[in-house]
Amino acid sequence: MSIETLVPQANQSSTPFNKESFDEAVMSTYGRFPIALEKGAGCRLWDTEGKEYLDFVAGIATCTLGHAHPALIEAVTQQIQKIHHVSNLYYIPEQGELARWIVNNSCADRAFFCNSGAEANEAAIKLARKYAHTVLEIDKPIILTANASFHGRTLATITATGQPKYQKNFNPLVPGFHYVRYNDIDALEAAISELDEGDYAVGAILLEPLQGEGGVRPGDIKYFQKLRSICDQTGILLIFDEVQVGMGRTGKMWGYQHLGVEPDVFTSAKGLGGGIPIGAMMAKKFCDVFQPGEHASTFGGNPFACAIALTVCHTLENENILENVHHRGEQLRSGLLHIGAKYSDCIAEVRGWGLINGMELQTDIDLSAIDVVKAAMKEGLLLVPAGTKVVRFVPPLIVTEAQVDEALQIVDKVISTLNN
Ligand SMILES: *Cc1c(COP(=O)(O)O)cnc(C)c1O
């Protein structure tokens, strides 16, 4: 692969890193691992000490094409020389092309662009509320979301996120959200009927097709199909958060394609720009109720971000990357299942779609996902937890067969050591 030729150069470490200075000047909102990454090529990363890593985090399911991909380098270089930002006061051809590509490759009719997953979900929440007020005629619309979900860190999206740990100390939260158990149709139907009282009623349901941060939990097909028919009957808007699973991560372009249902609205971000910040909210025409001035973003959909995202889209197509995701995903899962069987007193379950996979540790042992992640990092493999007991595997979508084997060997070694 051509990007492998970048390796020798990238291997030369240079910049000394001052951790103390960093910690003094940067807010400590993150519990960071004590390494600083300074170079990347393909699925490899190097830290400031020159240590090499195999990257199975991809900037948290974001670097679709890995690091220093020739197509990204080309697109960034070309676009910055041409035009990078003008605001949405004017037409932006790159934005139109990206919207057209997503529309042609999904169930949606229209796009709104912003800069992150949380912002895309904010846009969806605003759209859903306006739709509830103006079309469903609900005075006090409620949005149902799931326990253990994750939708972002803004005030509305931590409220939508059904995990108290993200909400603690940030109350009062945004009104109008209610939580139900994921994959539980009885709980959902009960909530819809209980919440229909006076001015209140459920106006929208916001769910991940597969819960990412909540522990890599795939949606249940029967649940989602029943959900779709409930929404069809009631007019309740069905919104999918595709921020982590969309853009080919699962081996299909969108997570909803695994469930045999189409959402009315969906959001995308992480993988869309391959590491360049961009978010999108997509909607079918019937529920596009926004009018000029009702929602906006200064940076949203600028020529730079859109040109890069469009390059990610075209590269996914041209290099047949979804097929790679499918095969590498099967390889990774079957390898992890093998490891799971070998250390069954340590590993409870392996699950996922394509290249988003979780390895859940047994609850009755004193081993957390973070312990596995730290041990793997020492061995040169980057992994990320999804909750306390699930180790998540989300490599770049261009990961090779040999790299998956290499990762599996390290995981086997790490589990075997920790298990003793
Ligand atoms: C990461 C994530 C978000 C938030 O995206 P940001 O870009 O961090 O705002 C929202 N929803 C899901 C499912 C995510 O995985």
Side-chain angles (χ1 to χ4, degrees):
M1 205 178 215
S2 58
I3 44 178
E4 294 294 329
T5 60
L6 294 166
V7 169
Q9 228 191 342
N11 211 355
Q12 305 294 317
S13 116
S14 48
T15 338
F17 177 70
N18 188 336
K19 186 171 172 293
E20 288 67 39
S21 161
F22 182 101
D23 286 335
E24 229 173 79
V26 179
M27 281 196 193
S28 55
T29 53
Y30 300 97
R32 296 175 199 268
F33 295 107
I35 60 167
L37 297 165
E38 69 167 1
K39 286 169 195 164
C43 296
R44 306 270 172 196
L45 284 166
W46 288 267
D47 70 14
T48 46
E49 316 266 272
K51 184 173 161 70
E52 181 177 317
Y53 301 90
L54 183 56
D55 182 14
F56 269 53
V57 176
I60 316 186
T62 294
C63 300
T64 315
L65 306 179
H67 305 277
H69 191 286
L72 277 193
I73 294 173
E74 171 76 11
V76 166
T77 312
Q78 292 296 322
Q79 194 61 42
I80 200 74
Q81 293 180 70
K82 197 175 165 202
I83 193 166
H84 70 292
H85 180 78
V86 290
S87 89
N88 286 292
L89 293 169
Y90 316 103
Y91 279 87
I92 298 170
E94 294 84 354
Q95 187 181 127
E97 269 185 73
L98 178 61
R100 177 60 59 197
W101 190 92
I102 304 175
V103 163
N104 288 346
N105 287 278
S106 76
C107 64
D109 300 312
R110 289 195 182 141
F112 169 83
F113 292 104
C114 49
N115 314 288
S116 67
E119 274 183 69
N121 287 329
E122 284 274 347
I125 290 164
K126 281 179 71 177
L127 187 85
R129 283 194 172 178
K130 185 175 178 194
Y131 182 81
H133 283 293
T134 60
V135 180
L136 303 177
E137 298 182 332
I138 303 170
D139 257 354
K140 294 182 171 157
I142 292 164
I143 298 177
L144 291 183
T145 67
N147 294 336
S149 58
F150 185 81
H151 300 295
R153 300 295 203 129
T154 63
L155 201 49
T157 56
I158 58 165
T159 311
T161 294
Q163 301 193 58
K165 70 172 177 185
Y166 292 110
Q167 303 170 339
K168 195 175 167 232
N169 287 332
F170 297 118
N171 54 305
L173 298 175
V174 175
F177 289 90
H178 185 92
Y179 315 101
V180 290
R181 232 174 79 146
Y182 191 62
N183 281 342
D184 182 342
I185 203 72
D186 296 334
L188 185 96
E189 287 184 300
I192 291 172
S193 77
E194 276 164 29
L195 294 167
D196 189 356
E197 206 189 311
D199 290 342
Y200 291 92
V202 173
I205 300 170
L206 167 62
L207 294 170
E208 294 157 90
L210 170 152
Q211 291 191 322
E213 301 300 313
V216 189
R217 292 174 206 287
D220 175 65
I221 293 181
K222 281 205 192 96
Y223 171 79
F224 273 86
Q225 297 193 338
K226 187 79 210 292
L227 176 67
R228 180 67 267 180
S229 76
I230 291 170
C231 289
D232 288 338
Q233 283 156 24
T234 55
I236 293 172
L237 216 53
L238 184 55
I239 308 170
F240 285 175
D241 180 340
E242 293 263 0
V243 168
Q244 188 153 172
V245 297
M247 284 302 288
R249 170 61 53 194
T250 66
K252 296 183 192 289
M253 195 58 76
W254 307 107
Y256 68 77
Q257 293 169 310
H258 291 264
L259 300 169
V261 297
E262 290 184 356
D264 303 314
V265 175
F266 72 87
T267 55
S268 176
K270 288 192 167 86
L272 180 58
I276 299 299
I278 185 168
M281 176 197 47
M282 308 297 304
K284 296 209 178 196
K285 204 184 292 182
F286 81 89
C287 56
D288 171 21
V289 290
F290 277 160
Q291 289 190 342
E294 289 184 334
H295 197 51
S297 164
T298 300
F299 289 124
N302 82 14
F304 185 77
C306 288
I308 309 311
L310 203 54
T311 300
V312 172
C313 296
H314 290 157
T315 309
L316 282 184
E317 269 181 323
N318 299 341
E319 295 186 3
N320 221 356
I321 287 176
L322 293 198
E323 204 179 296
N324 188 57
V325 176
H326 176 73
H327 292 304
R328 298 291 72 81
E330 297 270 298
Q331 181 195 352
L332 178 59
R333 243 175 343 272
S334 91
L336 289 176
L337 281 166
H338 183 77
I339 294 170
K342 198 164 151 191
Y343 308 103
S344 57
D345 44 350
C346 181
I347 295 163
E349 199 182 22
V350 170
R351 54 180 181 254
W353 291 340
L355 286 174
I356 177 162
N357 293 285
M359 181 176 80
E360 180 156 17
L361 304 171
Q362 296 287 7
T363 42
D364 59 358
I365 56 164
D366 187 27
L367 187 66
S368 299
I370 195 89
D371 304 322
V372 176
V373 169
K374 282 179 179 164
M377 182 178 286
K378 282 216 179 83
E379 297 296 326
L381 173 66
L382 297 183
L383 298 170
V384 59
T388 52
K389 281 284 184 178
V390 179
V391 182
R392 184 172 20 167
F393 298 76
V394 281
L397 306 189
I398 56 162
V399 70
T400 65
E401 188 174 355
Q403 288 166 338
V404 170
D405 278 339
E406 190 183 332
L408 287 167
Q409 273 173 28
I410 296 175
V411 173
D412 190 314
K413 183 176 170 193
V414 161
I415 298 292
S416 123
T417 310
L418 291 173
N419 201 32
N420 283 320

